[in-house]
Amino acid sequence: MPKPVVPEEKRRRRRPTKSGTVLSEELIVETALRMLHEHGSAGLTARRLGLALDADPSTLYRYFRGMDDLTLAIGDALIGQALGGWAPTGEWRADLRAVGLRIHAAYVAHPQAAVLTASRVSGRAHELAADEAVLDLLRTAGFPLPDAVRVYHAFVDTTLAFAALDAASLALPRASLHADEEMWRSTYARLPATTHPRIAEAAPLLATRMLTSAYPTALDMLLHSVAAQLDGVGEQGGIGE
């Protein structure tokens, strides 16, 4: 069975490490994020994390039940970074767009961590705060509860799916990422109109467009559709599936 996490008040009374560092959950997560950036997920182990913190690896288990628990805390920290300083303006559509773009940006800023955490559900404080905020925006806007949950589901999954997709590209080795990007110019742009007329006519736009994230466009399309359907809620009795 996993070891119980030591209560926060008992952790604070712990002596500093040999280098004088006072450990905390926040410090461990920050160090783990740095290690993921430098070494990828394969490089994040309790032993390496302990070395980076100048602490015995077993000390980490006073703060987390295991490396998976730490993974959940990392994901929650990304959401916390995304929502730091954000406040609703009262315009539900603009607010929801801002939340989505903030979360997506926070994940792609830490691509290795995003790949590791985007599909996880932590149930931690920042995640709960984000969920509460999104649901409150929708309910305050006038969505019936079933519709608010349906839109919330689509919004969250769209945001995290694009975050994971974009982060996975950024987490590729530089040579692989460059090769993928170059493919739009080296192959697609050279296809003849006689065999691939639609690709040939779109090639110049594809070579530019496909190197950027489609998330802002997808988010705007989702919000436009939802806003249009909200206008008809009174008449239709719900947004529907």
Side-chain angles (χ1 to χ4, degrees):
M1 294 181 64
K3 297 180 180 179
V5 175
V6 177
E8 180 67 26
E9 63 275 7
K10 292 186 177 180
R11 296 182 219 157
R12 294 198 189 101
R13 292 200 293 268
R14 297 279 297 172
R15 290 180 298 174
T17 63
K18 294 179 181 179
S19 61
T21 301
V22 178
L23 292 182
S24 67
E25 181 174 311
E26 182 179 3
L27 177 61
I28 294 171
V29 169
E30 289 176 353
T31 304
L33 277 170
R34 187 180 73 247
M35 293 181 66
L36 284 168
H37 176 73
E38 295 173 352
H39 307 293
S41 59
L44 182 61
T45 64
R47 184 183 67 81
R48 289 186 175 183
L49 190 53
L51 288 173
L53 292 165
D54 192 27
D56 190 286
S58 64
T59 305
L60 302 177
Y61 296 99
R62 295 180 61 86
Y63 298 84
F64 302 99
R65 293 182 175 84
M67 294 302 290
D68 190 64
D69 193 31
L70 173 59
T71 297
L72 298 180
I74 291 170
D76 193 59
L78 294 182
I79 297 175
Q81 291 179 14
L83 294 186
W86 174 82
T89 66
E91 297 291 335
W92 74 266
R93 184 170 172 177
D95 288 340
L96 203 56
R97 188 178 194 275
V99 169
L101 292 175
R102 279 170 165 265
I103 292 174
H104 180 268
Y107 274 91
V108 298
H110 300 277
Q112 294 81 5
V115 171
L116 195 63
T117 65
S119 63
R120 303 301 303 277
V121 180
S122 74
R124 285 173 168 261
H126 295 308
E127 180 183 274
L128 294 175
D131 290 344
E132 178 70 16
V134 171
L135 287 168
D136 185 61
L137 288 174
L138 295 170
R139 290 290 282 147
T140 302
F143 288 91
L145 182 57
D147 296 329
V149 171
R150 191 175 298 115
V151 174
Y152 157 84
H153 184 194
F155 170 79
V156 169
D157 278 12
T158 298
T159 301
L160 294 179
F162 272 99
L165 176 65
D166 295 336
S169 294
L170 295 174
L172 287 172
R174 187 176 299 274
S176 298
L177 178 60
H178 178 73
D180 284 359
E181 292 176 344
E182 184 62 26
M183 191 67 67
W184 295 105
R185 292 182 289 268
S186 64
T187 298
Y188 280 76
R190 297 179 181 178
L191 290 172
T194 53
T195 58
H196 299 80
R198 296 309 183 192
I199 293 179
E201 70 175 352
L205 295 174
L206 289 172
T208 300
R209 187 77 183 186
M210 298 305 291
L211 302 186
T212 63
S213 174
Y215 176 65
T217 300
L219 178 60
D220 286 339
M221 292 170 67
L222 173 64
L223 294 177
H224 177 76
S225 174
V226 169
Q229 294 178 68
L230 178 61
D231 291 338
V233 165
E235 299 176 2
Q236 301 173 8
I239 291 177
E241 295 293 344

